[in-house]
Amino acid sequence: MAPLFLLCFLSVLSLASSASRGDEKTFIVRVQHDAKPSIFATHKHWYESSLASVLSTTKTATIIHTYETVFHGFSAKLSSSEALKLQMLPHVVAVIPEQVRRLHTTRSPEFLGLKKTNNAGLLKESDFGSDLVIGVIDTGIWPERQSFKDRDLGPVPAKWKGQCVMTKDFGLNSCNKKLIGARFFCNGYEATNGKMNETSEYRSPRDSDGHGTHTASIAAGRYVFPASTLGYAKGVAAGMAPKARLAVYKVCWNSGCYDSDIMAAFDAAVADGVDVISLSVGGVVVPYYLDAIAISAFGANDRGIFVSASAGNGGPGGLTVTNVAPWVTTVGAGTIDRDFPADVKLGNGKTAPGVSVYNGPSLTPGRMYQLVYAESEGGDGYSSTLCLDGSLDPNFVKGKIVVCERGINSRAAKGEVVKKAGGVAMILANGVFDGEGLVADCHVLPATAVGASAGDEIRSYISAASKSKSPATATIVFKGTRLGVRPAPVVASFSARGPNPQTPEILKPDVIAPGLNILAAWPDLIGPSGIPSDKRTTEFNILSGTSMACPHVSGLAALLKAAHPEWSPAAIRSALMTTAYTVDNRGETMLEETTGNTSTALDFGSGHVHPTKALDPGLIYDLTSMDYVNFLCNSNYTLNNIQVITRRTADCSGAKRAGHIGNLNYPSFSAVFQLYGKHKMSTHFIRTVTNVGNPNSVYTVTIQRPRGMVVTVEPNRLVFRRVGQKLNFLLRVQAREIKLSPGSNHVKTGFIVWSDGKHNVTSPLVVTMQQPL
């Protein structure tokens, strides 16, 4: 069926572009805030009468969702001509095509310095987040997991107004003092796909995928011991905020996560009383006034709710970061100091390093097995190299180890294809784009993942052996769990990278957090590989993705909010960003996993989160909703565009006087110069910092200039007399023209640090020079 659309109040142009498709779609309709009394949003009949005025007499006005908290309006199914007529009504502001979003799919607390036994620090200061509520918008939850038990928890916070929706498979006892809310939203999904098939997914908050259970337990799972996945990663499992309360909002279904449902979940979460919203889904980047997540997140931020979202798994290429609105904290993924080695031992005596989570029947110790790659024989060419379903010839692969390349189908599914064809094991080789980044999967047969260079070496060995009389042979040696891995953290290969494709003057991602091979809770009835034929059960599973990094930051934000109730969402993000680190456990700048080269701010933003330091950042860069309105003014958005996002009638005269888009009071700096034949270029940033450290403190600035640039800060000394005092500074960047080919760019990075001897308040500085086409 046709994709779902959002009926917000945008331009006729956006409607007209969809009108050419002709058939009926779903729209989300946004109504002027003052079109009716403030309670109008609860009046479904009023919406239906507006809708009926543009429909034919034979059609009934049917509302899919109504919105009243982060967004004012409703969603409905319309033809494009009906939507155009609706757009013309005086109280309708705009129409936004809806996107279908996709999921961005135990040791991490210790790696982050959060230990249960700490007598001081963030966990102690925040009472483990006990009075805070984290809303997780995802695939639902498996409530029976030990991670969601409510032992020793106090009463549900009095402010909580949410509900636990009971269904035939989500009973009365599913919620407790830990899991205090559970709802599901599927009207938008069903408007596009028809009625749900309840034999393959639950029409309830119950998780039939695993992703939501995993992310929820990362954010706020209780301490569980013993915990492991198939014997790997043994130890204590714990979320970031072990006593924080959870409210889950299920919006993701078998065919994706629909914007109208996501918006309904935001609307409910804010009304329910959550303190933090965690969203590990994303889609393509569009202007903020066409982005349902950006619009919803603004409404949440406006109510003081911290919103964190995954950066996406489109790395290692540039311009891949998603969820880039400046009022959202965008989280990339790094490694931790633990891995699961499973090396390939080749018949020529060489060994290729790999990783895997496998505990089933293993290969015979000491035996070498024939090694094959179905490039030109034993399959149907290209699809057989990828080990796609039905592509392998059983006569060719039976009893052998098969080399498969990444791409198209899931990594674990390739192993199932090999197993079905009679192969005894699989070596999963990265392509050039994947580089050396490795993800450990729970395979259904003996299997390991190797990097691109090892894959080349293995294929070369097979090719050389085929020209001789002795066939290529290999075995896989599984080595279990290894701790204390160096270097760590490393920026994960898949983690989406900057620059920000929507607003390059705002550096994204903001930070990175643990996202590779993360142990967390997992549902029953879903095998750890995620393949339907996998009937193994495990209470915990190991997954990778920025989906796993995001809830780490969501949980940390809850802890910081508990320790500093007066802090705004921007203050919390500032604390996480300015205290983040960029040095690994060897004392060197973090590496980038794909190539092994040094990473940059375009990979990690401000760096890797450091929870203990974030508790006491010294200075913060704060922001209000009006600052974001001014940012949108300086983005050259129309007043109508701005109203769609903010629900405000904006006055942009002050914003234009204040300067340019980069003058948003953000904790990072990104200067973009268009060359246009200019020999000298300069720009400036005005920032305001608030003292949250010692009453009488003096901060001096240190500048690490991007190579070839002149950077100055005025004043270079900030003298504070009290807590809460605000002081301004100006940072100026000057650059000289360099020769670039048309359409290319040149990026240099540095940083500035404000220090009082106790606190180091660090901000990255990225300078991009572009040669227009």
Side-chain angles (χ1 to χ4, degrees):
M1 293 185 68
L4 197 66
F5 272 65
L6 295 182
L7 196 68
C8 307
F9 309 95
L10 305 179
S11 63
V12 175
L13 181 62
S14 66
L15 252 181
S17 67
S18 66
S20 63
R21 290 190 281 274
D23 52 343
E24 200 171 65
K25 307 170 182 69
T26 303
F27 294 81
I28 298 175
V29 184
R30 182 158 184 174
V31 180
Q32 291 276 13
H33 189 31
D34 56 357
K36 279 280 181 179
S38 60
I39 60 168
F40 84 93
T42 64
H43 294 174
K44 186 177 178 182
H45 294 305
W46 188 84
Y47 288 137
E48 288 173 340
S49 66
S50 294
L51 187 55
S53 69
V54 302
L55 301 179
S56 67
T57 55
T58 60
K59 186 174 178 181
T60 303
T62 303
I63 301 296
I64 295 172
H65 283 300
T66 61
Y67 311 103
E68 55 185 292
T69 305
V70 299
F71 185 89
H72 294 289
F74 61 95
S75 50
K77 201 165 188 178
L78 303 166
S79 69
S80 296
S81 61
E82 290 165 344
L84 281 166
K85 290 178 185 177
L86 194 62
Q87 173 71 74
M88 301 305 175
L89 296 179
H91 52 272
V92 171
V93 183
V95 175
I96 309 172
E98 179 186 66
Q99 296 185 57
V100 181
R101 314 284 178 154
R102 302 296 172 191
L103 298 164
H104 288 152
T105 302
T106 48
R107 184 171 170 78
S108 55
E110 185 175 346
F111 184 68
L112 290 169
L114 299 175
K115 297 181 181 179
K116 184 179 180 182
T117 55
N118 280 6
N119 293 320
L122 186 51
L123 286 173
K124 179 71 172 178
E125 290 284 332
S126 63
D127 187 27
F128 301 80
S130 64
D131 289 329
L132 276 289
V133 183
I134 301 174
V136 180
I137 300 177
D138 211 295
T139 68
I141 196 164
W142 196 268
E144 292 82 9
R145 291 285 79 114
Q146 293 183 74
S147 298
F148 310 126
K149 299 301 182 186
D150 64 356
R151 62 189 178 278
D152 303 324
L153 287 182
V156 172
K159 64 175 183 177
W160 180 246
K161 301 180 181 67
Q163 58 181 295
C164 191
V165 176
M166 305 300 171
T167 66
K168 62 184 180 183
D169 50 50
F170 204 86
L172 184 65
N173 296 323
S174 296
C175 288
N176 54 26
K177 291 184 290 184
K178 174 67 174 178
L179 177 60
I180 63 173
R183 304 174 70 168
F184 67 99
F185 302 87
C186 61
N187 291 0
Y189 160 63
E190 291 188 324
T192 296
N193 297 279
K195 192 164 179 60
M196 183 186 305
N197 178 0
E198 295 188 47
T199 63
S200 60
E201 51 187 335
Y202 301 106
R203 190 186 180 85
S204 78
R206 186 170 292 280
D207 187 2
S208 60
D209 177 272
H211 190 274
T213 301
H214 203 268
T215 55
S217 69
I218 291 171
R222 302 301 303 274
Y223 291 101
V224 180
F225 178 83
S228 72
T229 299
L230 308 179
Y232 286 78
K234 291 180 180 178
V236 178
M240 296 296 98
K243 288 187 179 180
R245 315 308 171 109
L246 276 168
V248 300
Y249 301 85
K250 182 178 177 180
V251 300
C252 295
W253 308 90
N254 284 350
S255 65
C257 322
Y258 290 76
D259 273 353
S260 59
D261 294 332
I262 293 172
M263 187 171 279
F266 266 96
D267 209 55
V270 173
D272 289 347
V274 303
D275 299 286
V276 172
I277 291 177
S278 186
L279 182 74
S280 290
V281 303
V284 298
V285 176
V286 295
Y288 305 126
Y289 58 88
L290 292 170
D291 186 341
I293 289 177
I295 294 167
S296 301
F298 186 96
N301 186 88
D302 197 34
R303 302 288 189 97
I305 297 165
F306 180 94
V307 179
S308 57
S310 47
N313 296 338
L319 289 166
T320 52
V321 63
T322 68
N323 294 320
V324 295
W327 46 87
V328 172
T329 299
T330 311
V331 189
T335 68
I336 61 175
D337 61 344
R338 179 186 67 197
D339 66 6
F340 311 106
D343 298 342
V344 178
K345 183 179 178 183
L346 297 173
N348 61 4
K350 295 184 178 179
T351 298
V355 297
S356 180
V357 175
Y358 177 73
N359 78 331
S362 197
L363 300 174
T364 303
R367 178 181 169 185
M368 302 296 283
Y369 295 79
Q370 189 173 345
L371 179 64
V372 295
Y373 173 58
E375 181 176 25
S376 58
E377 55 180 322
D380 58 357
Y382 175 69
S383 62
S384 63
T385 66
L386 294 169
C387 298
L388 302 184
D389 193 27
S391 67
L392 298 177
D393 180 358
N395 294 322
F396 179 69
V397 305
K398 186 175 182 180
K400 301 169 185 174
I401 297 177
V402 182
V403 177
C404 301
E405 294 183 359
R406 281 178 64 172
I408 309 297
N409 56 342
S410 77
R411 298 182 299 269
K414 295 176 189 293
E416 184 180 43
V417 171
V418 171
K419 187 176 182 180
K420 282 181 178 177
V424 297
M426 175 184 69
I427 298 170
L428 181 60
N430 281 359
V432 174
F433 184 76
D434 303 304
E436 303 308 311
L438 299 180
V439 177
D441 294 298
C442 294
H443 292 286
V444 295
L445 84 171
T448 189
V450 300
S453 58
D456 289 341
E457 184 176 342
I458 291 168
R459 285 186 292 265
S460 296
Y461 166 55
I462 294 171
S463 177
S466 68
K467 297 170 186 174
S468 68
K469 293 184 178 179
S470 40
T473 60
T475 190
I476 302 173
V477 181
F478 297 94
K479 297 183 175 180
T481 304
R482 180 173 61 170
L483 302 178
V485 172
R486 296 162 68 93
V490 172
V491 179
S493 174
F494 55 77
S495 186
R497 311 297 209 265
N500 181 338
Q502 188 60 40
T503 312
E505 295 83 0
I506 302 296
L507 181 63
K508 292 285 183 172
D510 292 308
V511 291
I512 65 170
L516 184 77
N517 302 333
I518 303 301
L519 179 89
W522 193 249
D524 288 335
L525 308 182
I526 304 170
S529 68
I531 298 171
S533 63
D534 185 0
K535 303 305 180 185
R536 295 173 295 178
T537 60
T538 180
E539 187 171 352
F540 296 91
N541 200 7
I542 293 169
L543 296 184
S544 299
T546 56
S547 280
M548 284 64 249
C550 169
H552 278 90
V553 169
S554 308
L556 295 179
L559 295 179
L560 290 171
K561 182 73 173 176
H564 299 285
E566 74 284 3
W567 280 9
S568 68
I572 293 170
R573 175 177 55 203
S574 175
L576 289 165
M577 289 175 67
T578 63
T579 60
Y581 60 90
T582 60
V583 174
D584 62 28
N585 56 5
R586 307 169 304 163
E588 300 178 20
T589 301
M590 284 189 293
L591 300 181
E592 190 277 315
E593 189 184 30
T594 313
T595 61
N597 295 333
T598 300
S599 57
T600 73
L602 293 179
D603 304 319
F604 54 64
S606 292
H608 192 285
V609 290
H610 193 309
T612 304
K613 287 189 176 180
L615 178 64
D616 180 21
L619 304 176
I620 56 171
Y621 294 76
D622 210 353
L623 283 162
T624 67
S625 292
M626 284 312 301
D627 292 320
Y628 293 124
V629 171
N630 290 339
F631 160 81
L632 293 169
C633 289
N634 286 326
S635 301
N636 294 320
Y637 281 13
T638 66
L639 297 180
N640 194 61
N641 294 155
I642 295 170
Q643 186 181 3
V644 170
I645 301 165
T646 67
R647 309 187 312 285
R648 287 173 169 80
T649 302
D651 176 3
C652 286
S653 56
K656 298 297 183 184
R657 287 195 301 270
H660 58 85
I661 191 171
N663 271 341
L664 182 68
N665 199 43
Y666 218 72
S668 57
F669 301 86
S670 177
V672 181
F673 294 120
Q674 304 285 346
L675 294 182
Y676 292 119
K678 297 176 182 176
H679 297 297
K680 293 182 179 180
M681 296 153 290
S682 70
T683 191
H684 69 278
F685 302 91
I686 300 168
R687 293 290 191 267
T688 302
V689 286
T690 305
N691 181 25
V692 294
N694 301 323
N696 294 294
S697 53
V698 178
Y699 285 83
T700 56
V701 71
T702 302
I703 304 169
Q704 177 66 51
R705 298 171 177 83
R707 186 178 300 173
M709 313 289 169
V710 176
V711 181
T712 57
V713 174
E714 300 174 7
N716 60 11
R717 191 166 173 265
L718 299 174
V719 180
F720 293 93
R721 299 302 182 199
R722 68 180 190 279
V723 174
Q725 184 180 354
K726 298 178 182 291
L727 292 176
N728 300 331
F729 68 90
L730 183 146
L731 183 150
R732 188 176 300 279
V733 179
Q734 296 171 289
R736 287 188 169 274
E737 181 187 29
I738 60 173
K739 290 188 181 295
L740 292 174
S741 58
S744 64
N745 64 64
H746 180 73
V747 179
K748 292 293 182 183
T749 61
F751 56 85
I752 74 162
V753 184
W754 289 102
S755 179
D756 66 347
K758 176 184 177 183
H759 306 94
N760 292 312
V761 186
T762 305
S763 295
L765 169 61
V766 176
V767 180
T768 305
M769 288 190 278
Q770 298 178 338
Q771 182 64 59
L773 287 169

